[in-house]
Amino acid sequence: MSASLARPGAGGLQGELAAMVRAHAWLIGLVLAHVVIVSGVAICLGDPNRISLSLYGPVFTLAIPVLGVAFLVGHAAYVMLFVRPDRLCRTIIDDLRTTYLTRRRLMNAVPIIVLLPLFNAACTSLKAMIPLIHPYDWDATFADWDAWLHFGVPPWQILQPVLGHPFMSGIANIVYCFWFFGLAGSWFWQAFALRDQRLRMQFFVAYILCFVLLGNLAATWLASGGPCYYGRIVQGPDVYAPLMQYLRDASQHSPIIWSVGLQDMLWNNYVSGGTTIGAGISAMPSMHVAGAMLFALLGWRTHRLLGILLSVNVALILVATVHLAWHYALDGYIAVLGTLAIWWATGAVIGRDGTVQRR
């Protein structure tokens, strides 16, 4: 299949709408297929209320205008500080009207704005259903493998001499949570991007496949709660009790170490069986690291410096997930390898016009 986004005037508005749908046909198909499958799983489990497709609607309804205003302010500041035209307001308005707020650019973003809330809701719903499909029985194994990979020492103990202080743990918490801003920024940037349709489509197809194959399928097959829930899931001594005690103590001294409270909230949600934004417990593989890896791959295709900075971000997030007891280090390693494989595979089948090519 090959279809490019129509240029303004090519068949009028109806032609542009048809071209927009054709250009996003694979994305539309992947998202709808996943929604149907997740709905079917919920029905088979006897609890169709487990899936809520409107879960992220309010988030996107708020995020899109906020990010839009942030872009407009940032663009105006850039023009004012670096371009310095004689007629500042006129230049900014003309630039927005002819380049950024065109009908073609806005229409190109519509499928992403519609599809992502549905897709994220389906992924979260299935993540919350993991314990109904497969018990959390991999934690002891992953803990053993984690220590074996690091010469018999649990990775968190290796990090503790450097990060074992409330100030450093607070920095790790900020790094971990900043991921959400990177995710929202990447969505917004690529949703409205026109310059490289192949890169844009590769990013979104890879994003969908990462969360389906890694965040849902692999997470169900390798069901694990992570170090923070080790003592609640695995019978016997809690090998992560010293780390959790440190984090609880540190959170009393630093208000920005809110991971412990968030972990408790997710556990309570798991016990009650609710499905809310971000619900579900799953450690392997780390979707925080997978998402950061996607940002880095996008960065490398955009600018070398951006690629370097976002690659450093991958390492920082992996370290933060281990120190804050969200993940075993192995979760991050598998996420990096899985994301690289998915990125390569999507790049191999997406053509220059941004559509998936038939072989």
Side-chain angles (χ1 to χ4, degrees):
M1 178 176 63
S2 178
S4 299
L5 190 67
R7 297 283 178 178
L13 179 60
Q14 184 176 356
E16 290 183 52
L17 289 171
M20 177 188 70
V21 172
R22 289 195 301 271
H24 294 85
W26 279 95
L27 278 178
I28 294 171
L30 286 171
V31 170
L32 293 182
H34 193 54
V35 169
V36 170
I37 291 171
V38 173
S39 300
V41 171
I43 292 172
C44 290
L45 291 173
D47 192 358
N49 293 326
R50 280 276 184 170
I51 183 168
S52 174
L53 297 181
S54 62
L55 196 60
Y56 288 92
V59 175
F60 276 77
T61 300
L62 176 63
I64 293 299
V66 168
L67 290 170
V69 170
F71 169 78
L72 295 177
V73 172
H75 176 69
Y78 171 80
V79 173
M80 181 174 62
L81 295 174
F82 297 100
V83 181
R84 298 180 181 179
D86 293 333
R87 303 176 67 181
L88 177 62
C89 291
R90 180 62 179 272
T91 299
I92 293 174
I93 293 173
D94 287 346
D95 198 20
L96 293 175
R97 180 175 57 83
T98 60
T99 304
Y100 296 107
L101 298 181
T102 63
R103 186 173 76 181
R104 178 170 175 253
R105 186 182 297 276
L106 296 176
M107 286 180 59
N108 197 35
V110 169
I112 305 301
I113 295 173
V114 172
L115 291 172
L116 281 186
L118 291 174
F119 176 72
N120 290 343
C123 286
T124 296
S125 298
L126 186 55
K127 182 181 176 183
M129 288 186 277
I130 287 177
L132 301 179
I133 304 170
H134 191 290
Y136 293 119
D137 56 6
W138 279 90
D139 282 272
T141 301
F142 290 150
D144 290 341
W145 288 356
D146 229 22
W148 180 81
L149 283 172
H150 298 87
F151 308 100
V153 181
W156 74 267
Q157 293 184 11
I158 299 174
L159 298 173
Q160 199 64 6
V162 177
L163 299 181
H165 184 279
F167 175 78
M168 295 302 294
S169 297
I171 296 299
N173 208 127
I174 291 174
V175 169
Y176 179 84
C177 291
F178 192 76
W179 178 89
F180 295 99
F181 294 97
L183 182 63
S186 297
W187 286 342
F188 185 82
W189 169 27
Q190 289 303 302
F192 290 91
L194 288 177
R195 180 177 300 176
D196 190 338
Q197 289 300 298
R198 182 176 186 271
L199 175 61
R200 175 180 181 272
M201 192 59 62
Q202 184 176 4
F203 172 76
F204 283 117
V205 171
Y207 171 83
I208 288 173
L209 292 180
C210 277
F211 275 83
V212 171
L213 299 179
L214 302 179
N216 280 165
L217 291 181
T220 302
W221 172 40
L222 303 170
S224 57
C228 57
Y229 304 122
Y230 190 95
R232 309 185 196 190
I233 293 175
V234 180
Q235 293 184 349
D238 182 0
V239 297
Y240 292 94
L243 174 59
M244 292 309 301
Q245 186 59 54
Y246 159 75
L247 290 172
R248 292 189 184 280
D249 292 342
S251 66
Q252 302 301 314
H253 296 87
S254 176
I256 59 176
I257 304 176
W258 51 77
S259 286
V260 175
L262 182 57
Q263 289 160 357
D264 290 339
M265 182 188 75
L266 289 175
W267 181 263
N268 292 334
N269 184 265
Y270 157 68
V271 172
S272 65
T275 301
T276 60
I277 293 175
I281 292 174
S282 176
M284 170 65 80
S286 169
M287 295 314 297
H288 250 67
V289 175
M293 192 66 201
L294 269 181
F295 308 158
L297 292 167
L298 177 64
W300 279 110
R301 290 277 296 277
T302 305
H303 192 281
R304 183 170 179 269
L305 179 59
L306 184 60
I308 292 173
L309 292 175
L310 291 177
S311 295
V312 172
N313 181 60
V314 175
L316 292 177
I317 285 181
L318 197 159
V319 168
T321 64
V322 173
H323 174 66
L324 297 172
W326 286 107
H327 290 283
Y328 308 102
L330 184 63
D331 300 341
Y333 303 156
I334 296 299
V336 168
L337 294 176
T339 303
L340 284 171
I342 290 170
W343 182 262
W344 176 84
T346 54
V349 299
I350 293 177
R352 291 184 178 180
D353 60 353
T355 60
V356 176
Q357 303 299 302
R358 289 177 179 172
R359 298 293 178 179

